[in-house]
């Protein structure tokens, strides 16, 4: 953003106070902000006491060699013990840990006592396969309980896991196996997706062949489909794990012992293996899951709809909820199988009280229509969360109104794979909520918005989001590449973590996220955020979803090109396009009017639901498409290309 700070275009005046009863019984009150401000490290030291340490840490943060942080470094603990055993020891062995809902309606309930046995057996099996402390294990699985069990078994023996999203190609899996030098892969024959078994093992076979270093493949039988088998290498989970002893004594590891590597693709270059360690990561995931969702472990039923292959699944299906002894739902399939009310049917069936999902899902539900959730009893819900992208104010309002009975708080949580857990978000019992804004850094977190020269922008200004103090669940490095870690995150602004997101501060000082800096458009010398133009489009009753990009333009530098998905009833026409352009002009000002608006059937998205604007930019600029390997459905791009007349 060289010419001018991000234009501050969107005005959102709606406000929602926390419900009185929730505020009165909230886990966290406004005092937490004061307390953390007065003594930030003392605050985190106190949060670390949520965990059970084998040896209590005496030092909170060692920041003597920035940006390489060490949190709680003289403490030792076992992460799996914290997520499982200690709840059983505390007398909660009969509490449900996981209500598993298979796509085809099959299900299974695991109590904490059962989870302890399963994790112990899996840990013993990994030991039998020769896995030792520090060895990396790749996990390529559908959304089934064995995935969480496998991750916890790795944590239990100190073997960092690298979960690779089950939808990624064998290529992507092979690169990640190689980069982490993983000798063991845990997978399944397949999983259910859209009513059909979807194979995983063939991709593993190919990846293992290509990587050339894998010694054992442990295979869960989920679908029963035929699989190729290599007797010297492949082992069935039900044969290898089931015969193990359910006794396994957890070993204690240093707080900074690596817990997992998770690859983020980024826009260019080879994927970055984001490294997270044990004590600080678990402290912040447990704290945020408890604070931001106001979790009451005895009564709440939590459901995070993310895939475990995404960081959201790591932190808010596996580590945060289980460290807190929560009861949660885990769902294998898609939201429209066998019908478009599937999510609401699940909420009703299990009495879900806290729901955590992504804006892309919410916009899809909006498109499907209000009458679908209206058919189900959603009265158990008391807190709704959003993560993954900026949530358009209209989607926020829809979520609260149609899912939350116009009463539940919506927490819009900003964070990244790199931050490990939530960083900027309202608190449900404290914050007067603003639709579309993540609002404030959590207690103990220091975030701000700066301009090109690293000066903090005043209220009303826009620029780059930075984190100004280390935090417990921060990434420790990029696996095998400390220099890339420094260059990517710590070099843009001296001494500050550069998140790569554009942001603005409103007149109250609240933070609004405006999308990736790489996506910001420069139109006639004005930096305009894709998010704001998209939100303006989505606020029109005919638009369900929108993706906006800047395409090279001779007169204005870049011109705004919008791809829109129309709502079911809206017909595509010249008049509608003109109306949409005028609507954006009226909402944001003439500078933000898209030059072209193209109705499309689908938008290109990553597996975690993020719109891949760079591919749309390629289309808008008539270029060869870049890397499409992380796309959910690559045929989407063919459809979009046929919509686009050759650029003028
Ligand atoms: C957790 C996760 C990180 C990027 C991040 C930002 C976007 C996530 C957001 C949000 C606005 C929110 N993002 N949550 N933008 N508001 N509440 O998504 O991790 O997959 O690494 O993506 O997602 O652009 O920088 P990850």
């Amino acid at each position: 953003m060289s010419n001018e700070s991000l234009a501050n275009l969107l005005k959102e005046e709606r406000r929602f106070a926390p419900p009185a009863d929730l505020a009165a019984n909230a886990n966290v009150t406004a005092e937490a902000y004061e307390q953390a401000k007065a003594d930030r490290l003392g605050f985190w030291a106190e949060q670390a006491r949520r965990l059970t340490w084998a040896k209590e840490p005496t030092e909170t943060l060692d920041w003597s060699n920035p940006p390489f942080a060490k949190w709680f470094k003289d403490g030792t603990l076992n992460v799996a013990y914290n997520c499982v055993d200690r709840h059983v020891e505390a007398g909660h062995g009969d509490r449900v840990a996981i209500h598993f809902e298979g796509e085809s309606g099959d299900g299974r309930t695991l109590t904490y006592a059962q989870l302890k046995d399963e994790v112990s057996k899996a840990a013993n099996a990994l030991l039998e396969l020769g896995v030792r402390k520090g060895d990396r294990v790749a996990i390529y699985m559908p959304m089934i309980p064995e995935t969480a069990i496998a991750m916890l078994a790795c944590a239990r023996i100190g073997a960092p896991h690298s979960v690779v999203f089950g939808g990624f190609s064998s290529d992507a899996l092979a690169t990640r196996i190689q980069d982490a030098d993983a000798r063991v892969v845990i997978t399944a024959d397949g999983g259910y997706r859209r009513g059909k078994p979807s194979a995983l093992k063939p991709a593993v076979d190919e990846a293992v062949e290509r990587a050339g270093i894998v010694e054992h493949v442990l295979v869960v039988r989920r679908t029963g489909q035929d699989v190729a088998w290599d007797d010297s290498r492949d082992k069935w989970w039900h044969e290898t794990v089931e015969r193990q002893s359910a006794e396994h004594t957890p070993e204690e590891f240093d707080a900074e012992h690596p817990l997992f590597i998770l690859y983020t693709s980024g826009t260019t270059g080879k994927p970055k293996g984001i490294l997270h360690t044990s004590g600080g990561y678990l402290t912040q995931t447990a704290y945020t899951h408890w604070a931001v969702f106001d979790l009451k472990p005895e009564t709440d039923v939590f459901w995070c709809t993310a895939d475990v292959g995404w960081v959201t699944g790591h932190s808010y299906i596996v580590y945060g909820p289980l460290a807190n002894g929560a009861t949660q739902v885990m769902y294998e399939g898609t939201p429209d199988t066998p019908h478009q009310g599937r999510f609401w049917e699940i909420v009703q069936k299990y009495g879900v009280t806290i729901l955590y999902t992504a804006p892309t899902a919410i916009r899809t539900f909006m498109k499907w229509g209000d009458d679908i959730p209206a058919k189900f009893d959603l009265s158990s819900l008391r807190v709704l969360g959003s993560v993954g992208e900026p949530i358009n104010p209209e989607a926020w309002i829809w979520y609260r109104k149609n899912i939350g009975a116009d009463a539940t708080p919506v927490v819009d949580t900003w964070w990244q794979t790199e931050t490990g857990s939530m960083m900027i978000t309202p608190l449900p019992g404290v914050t007067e909520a603003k639709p579309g804004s993540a609002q404030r850094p959590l207690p103990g977190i220091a975030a701000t918005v700066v301009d090109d020269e690293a000066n903090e922008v005043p209220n009303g200004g826009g620029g780059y989001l930075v984190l100004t103090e280390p935090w417990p669940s921060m990434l420790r490095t990029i696996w095998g590449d400390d220099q890339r870690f420094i260059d990517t995150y710590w070099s843009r602004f001296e001494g500050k973590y550069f998140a790569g997101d554009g942001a603005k501060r409103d007149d109250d000082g609240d933070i609004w996220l405006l999308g990736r800096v790489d996506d910001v458009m420069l139109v006639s010398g004005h930096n305009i955020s894709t998010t704001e133009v998209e939100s303006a489009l989505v606020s029109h009753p005919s638009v369900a979803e929108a993706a906006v990009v800047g395409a090279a333009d001779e007169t204005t530098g870049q011109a705004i090109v919008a791809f829109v998905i129309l709502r079911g009833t809206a017909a595509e026409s010249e008049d509608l396009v003109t109306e949409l352009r005028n609507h954006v002009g009226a909402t944001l000002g003439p500078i933000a009017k898209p030059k072209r608006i193209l109705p499309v059937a689908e938008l290109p998205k990553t597996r975690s639901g993020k719109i891949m604007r760079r591919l749309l930019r390629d289309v808008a600029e008539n270029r060869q498409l870049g890397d499409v390997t992380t796309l959910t459905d690559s045929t989407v791009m063919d459809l979009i290309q046929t919509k686009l007349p050759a650029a003028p």
Side-chain angles (χ1 to χ4, degrees):
M1 275 175 270
S2 47
N3 297 30
E4 201 183 283
S5 286
L6 271 177
N8 196 352
L9 299 172
L10 186 77
K11 294 273 177 279
E12 172 58 61
E13 306 292 349
R14 291 168 286 193
R15 301 288 179 271
F16 298 88
D21 55 336
L22 197 155
N25 301 299
N27 287 352
V28 183
T29 62
E31 231 185 280
Y33 291 104
E34 299 308 316
Q35 187 207 340
K37 203 165 159 197
D39 179 9
R40 207 174 64 83
L41 294 181
F43 172 83
W44 285 120
E46 190 180 317
Q47 302 318 321
R49 279 179 224 121
R50 299 174 176 278
L51 308 183
T52 305
W53 297 82
K55 178 170 173 287
E56 295 268 344
T58 61
E59 186 180 350
T60 303
L61 171 66
D62 174 357
W63 191 233
S64 59
N65 179 29
F68 301 95
K70 294 195 166 89
W71 283 87
F72 313 115
K73 79 171 183 201
D74 62 344
T76 63
L77 79 171
N78 185 289
V79 168
Y81 171 84
N82 272 275
C83 291
V84 185
D85 307 43
R86 65 167 174 158
H87 307 310
V88 179
E89 288 170 15
H92 305 311
D94 292 339
R95 186 185 293 167
V96 172
I98 299 174
H99 287 293
F100 170 66
E101 173 85 12
E103 196 191 65
S104 50
D106 61 325
R108 194 169 138 203
T109 285
L110 278 161
T111 63
Y112 274 95
Q114 290 167 327
L115 188 62
K116 176 173 178 278
D117 289 351
E118 295 303 319
V119 171
S120 300
K121 285 195 244 169
N124 285 326
L126 290 175
L127 289 171
E128 185 182 290
L129 295 180
V131 180
R132 294 292 174 267
K133 172 181 170 183
D135 294 348
R136 277 79 57 204
V137 174
I139 298 181
Y140 185 73
M141 293 276 268
M143 283 287 291
I144 55 176
E146 283 81 0
T147 311
I149 292 166
M151 291 163 76
L152 291 165
C154 289
R156 197 173 182 95
I157 63 170
H161 54 71
S162 161
V163 180
V164 179
F165 183 80
F168 282 167
S169 65
S170 63
D171 253 359
L173 177 59
T175 327
R176 286 158 178 76
I177 288 173
Q178 272 167 331
D179 188 75
D181 193 15
R183 304 301 169 99
V184 171
V185 179
I186 306 177
T187 188
D189 48 0
Y192 289 98
R193 262 195 108 63
R194 302 199 183 283
K196 291 193 293 270
S198 162
L200 287 172
K201 178 79 167 40
V204 174
D205 294 340
E206 264 179 61
V208 164
E209 173 95 2
R210 179 148 347 148
I213 52 173
V214 172
E215 290 153 17
H216 302 287
V217 178
L218 192 54
V219 189
V220 176
R221 187 149 72 196
R222 166 69 184 138
T223 58
Q225 61 203 119
D226 278 342
V227 289
W229 205 255
D230 174 339
D231 278 326
S232 65
R233 186 196 70 193
D234 299 342
K235 307 218 159 32
W236 284 113
W237 175 283
H238 60 266
E239 287 169 2
T240 313
V241 175
E242 288 316 314
R243 62 176 161 77
Q244 303 291 330
S245 154
E247 296 300 318
H248 175 269
T249 310
E251 204 183 317
E252 61 192 84
F253 301 108
D254 289 345
E256 284 297 340
H257 187 70
L259 180 62
F260 66 84
I261 303 167
L262 183 59
Y263 288 85
T264 65
S265 49
T267 41
T268 50
K270 85 176 210 277
K272 301 188 281 278
I274 303 300
L275 178 69
H276 283 289
T277 59
S278 304
Y281 172 81
L282 199 63
T283 296
Q284 195 176 332
T285 50
Y287 171 69
T288 53
H289 180 255
W290 172 85
V292 175
F293 294 125
D294 189 46
L295 178 84
K296 312 285 197 258
E298 298 79 18
T299 47
D300 274 318
V301 179
F302 174 75
W303 181 23
C304 168
T305 69
D307 191 281
V308 225
W310 182 26
V311 71
T312 305
H314 282 59
S315 300
Y316 299 103
I317 294 178
V318 180
Y319 294 110
L322 296 178
N324 287 333
T327 294
Q328 67 176 322
V329 172
M330 181 183 205
Y331 173 55
E332 177 184 33
T334 49
D336 55 353
T337 307
H339 57 81
Q340 294 180 332
R342 190 61 194 275
F343 270 28
W344 319 124
E345 182 180 73
I346 292 174
V347 167
Q348 175 178 294
K349 174 171 174 186
Y350 295 103
V352 173
T353 59
I354 306 167
L355 178 69
Y356 195 29
T357 193
T360 178
I362 298 166
R363 290 188 302 256
T364 304
F365 300 138
M366 286 173 76
K367 187 166 61 185
W368 290 344
D370 305 1
D371 53 318
I372 293 174
K375 287 186 211 132
F376 298 88
D377 179 4
L378 307 180
S379 61
S380 53
L381 288 168
R382 63 181 200 94
V383 180
L384 303 177
S386 171
V387 58
E389 280 185 298
I391 177 164
N392 321 101
E394 273 337 295
W396 193 106
I397 296 281
W398 186 92
Y399 192 26
R400 178 181 155 106
K401 183 161 172 274
N402 293 279
I403 308 305
D406 221 351
T408 60
V410 173
V411 289
D412 173 11
T413 63
W414 179 89
W415 58 292
Q416 308 177 296
T417 306
E418 293 86 341
T419 69
S421 36
M422 297 168 185
M423 301 293 282
I424 306 177
T425 168
L427 287 173
V430 179
T431 319
E432 168 160 281
K434 298 177 179 174
S437 173
Q439 299 191 269
R440 292 180 70 176
L442 279 165
I445 298 300
T448 190
V449 182
V450 298
D451 65 17
D452 266 301
E453 278 73 51
N455 302 308
E456 246 180 276
V457 304
N459 287 355
Y464 308 92
L465 182 73
V466 293
L467 304 171
T468 53
E469 297 287 351
W471 62 99
S473 66
M474 65 195 281
L475 76 166
R476 297 304 194 260
T477 189
I478 292 174
W479 182 256
D481 202 344
D482 287 348
Q483 192 55 48
R484 192 170 178 207
F485 169 60
I486 296 170
D487 294 345
T488 310
Y489 305 107
W490 300 92
S491 301
R492 179 70 181 78
F493 302 107
E494 172 94 48
K496 297 185 174 73
Y497 172 89
F498 172 48
D501 282 340
K504 70 181 187 188
R505 244 180 211 299
D506 66 16
D507 294 337
D508 306 324
D510 281 328
I511 295 175
W512 296 69
L513 277 307
L514 297 175
R516 300 295 296 167
V517 167
D518 303 338
D519 291 334
V520 166
M521 304 172 289
L522 187 58
V523 183
S524 305
H526 296 267
N527 278 299
I528 297 180
S529 103
T530 51
T531 301
E532 290 193 315
V533 181
E534 288 162 8
S535 288
L537 285 163
V538 172
S539 74
H540 189 283
S542 297
V543 178
E545 280 216 69
V548 161
V549 299
D553 185 273
E554 279 175 12
T555 18
T556 54
Q558 278 188 321
I560 302 177
V561 179
F563 298 81
V564 296
I565 302 181
L566 299 177
R567 290 224 197 192
T569 49
E572 192 179 325
S573 71
E574 275 299 313
D575 287 353
L576 179 58
V577 166
T578 310
E579 190 181 320
L580 293 179
R581 291 187 69 240
N582 292 337
H583 176 74
V584 175
T587 315
L588 301 177
I591 183 81
K593 270 193 184 181
K595 183 166 182 188
R596 306 163 79 186
I597 296 183
L598 298 146
V600 292
E602 274 305 332
L603 292 169
K605 288 185 190 150
T606 65
R607 313 281 172 160
S608 62
K610 293 188 215 302
I611 297 170
M612 292 183 77
R613 292 182 192 72
R614 77 179 157 74
L615 294 179
L616 294 173
R617 215 151 42 224
D618 290 344
V619 172
E621 294 182 342
N622 269 342
R623 251 197 321 272
Q624 178 101 33
L625 288 188
D627 182 14
V628 292
T629 50
T630 55
L631 213 55
T632 337
D633 174 4
S634 53
T635 60
V636 165
M637 289 314 296
D638 305 337
L639 278 175
I640 292 174
Q641 274 171 316
T642 62
K643 288 293 298 191
L644 199 82

